[in-house]
Amino acid sequence: MPVNPFENLPPTVPAAPLRIVVADDNPVVRAGLTALLGGRDDTTVVAEAADGRAAYEAALEHRPDVVLLDVRMPGVDGLSALPHLVRLAPVMMLTYSHETQIVQEAVRLGAGGYLVHGEFTVDQLITAVRDITRGRPHFTPTAAGALMAPLRHPAHASAHIEPELAHNSRRSSSQNLSQLQPAVGPSVRSRYQLSTREAEIMDLVASGLNNRQIAAVCFISEKTVKNHINRIFAKLHSTSRAQAAAKWLGVA
């Protein structure tokens, strides 16, 4: 009688569901998300919060795997709570707020992704919640466009930057090549003959995004990003991201 090599293996233990805190001042939104995420085997809502302070207290108590955070809430709003929450758990912004400056500030403060209501399906939400625990960001189209706005219209973006953000940018300009981008003319870039997609990706590389972040912003796979970057390096005669960025920004 043949021996079954798998008969003595221990039974597979199902993975524990992801533990989520939902923070939104709208009770209908909270109830909907709780019903949706709490009715699955792989996710559960451990706490709800109506403002940033309550969200922080809930995260401190429950140590969730993910916090879903609204932007505009009474008392302590989402952006004010964000830098404190990211010390406790990955944070996904889940909100109706889609203004360019808000999206950019949320990412700067540590948000692992940004989903605008009405721009994602239930399956996409579940995937985003699961992926954020693995460090993979997700952005809906409006949020992705907000992140790319300074790259597409650098002069316009810099004219509307808040004084405090401008001050922070000046302090870190020596460490961030993307601060040099507005001064780069089209003639510098045209010599490299990058395709539209390659130029878009090179802008993101020069802004300091890694392959995973670029994939999320451009809605392509990391493998596709790597393929583009390999072709970009060949056209720019570069062997590193820093060297390619310096050439692309006209400082090498």
Side-chain angles (χ1 to χ4, degrees), residues 52-53 55-57 59-60 63 67 69 76-89 91 109-110:
R53 182 179 297 279
Y56 178 76
E57 291 172 352
L60 200 59
R63 299 291 172 164
V67 176
L69 183 65
V76 179
D77 62 40
L79 290 183
S80 298
L82 181 55
H84 305 284
L85 286 168
V86 295
R87 297 177 189 148
L88 303 176
V91 178
L109 291 172

Side-chain angles (χ1 to χ4, degrees), residues 30-236:
R30 290 201 311 273
L33 289 171
T34 299
L36 172 65
L37 298 169
R40 298 174 54 90
D41 294 333
D42 55 349
T43 57
T44 184
V45 175
V46 295
E48 298 180 23
D51 61 36
R53 182 179 297 279
Y56 178 76
E57 291 172 352
L60 200 59
E61 177 182 355
H62 295 280
R63 299 291 172 164
D65 299 300
V66 180
V67 176
L68 299 182
L69 183 65
D70 189 18
V71 170
R72 292 189 172 92
M73 294 183 289
V76 179
D77 62 40
L79 290 183
S80 298
L82 181 55
H84 305 284
L85 286 168
V86 295
R87 297 177 189 148
L88 303 176
V91 178
M92 174 77 74
M93 306 307 295
L94 187 64
T95 178
Y96 287 101
S97 302
H98 54 75
E99 295 85 346
T100 296
Q101 206 167 58
I102 289 177
V103 176
Q104 294 171 354
E105 181 70 351
V107 172
R108 188 184 74 82
L109 291 172
Y114 201 110
L115 306 183
V116 178
H117 284 296
E119 296 187 355
F120 56 88
T121 66
V122 171
D123 288 342
Q124 288 170 334
L125 171 61
I126 299 300
T127 298
V129 169
R130 187 182 302 116
D131 282 353
I132 194 175
T133 64
R134 303 167 184 162
R136 181 179 180 186
H138 280 261
F139 302 93
T140 51
T142 297
L147 290 179
M148 295 187 66
L151 306 176
R152 290 170 173 162
H153 311 288
H156 177 77
S158 61
H160 291 81
I161 193 167
E162 291 183 285
E164 178 63 23
L165 297 184
H167 174 66
N168 291 337
S169 295
R170 283 194 297 271
R171 284 193 307 176
S172 62
S173 61
S174 61
Q175 301 175 356
N176 189 351
L177 285 173
S178 66
Q179 299 299 326
L180 300 173
Q181 187 170 330
V184 180
S187 60
V188 175
R189 298 180 174 193
S190 60
R191 76 175 68 149
Y192 298 116
Q193 298 183 335
L194 268 59
S195 68
T196 301
R197 175 59 104 181
E198 289 168 349
E200 179 182 34
I201 289 174
M202 192 57 233
D203 279 335
L204 295 172
V205 169
S207 293
L209 273 64
N210 60 35
N211 288 1
R212 183 171 293 178
Q213 293 168 326
I214 293 171
V217 170
C218 296
F219 296 95
I220 56 179
S221 69
E222 284 188 65
K223 182 178 179 181
T224 301
V225 173
K226 290 177 182 177
N227 290 339
H228 279 303
I229 289 177
N230 287 337
R231 288 193 291 270
I232 290 168
F233 279 11
K235 290 182 179 181
L236 270 61

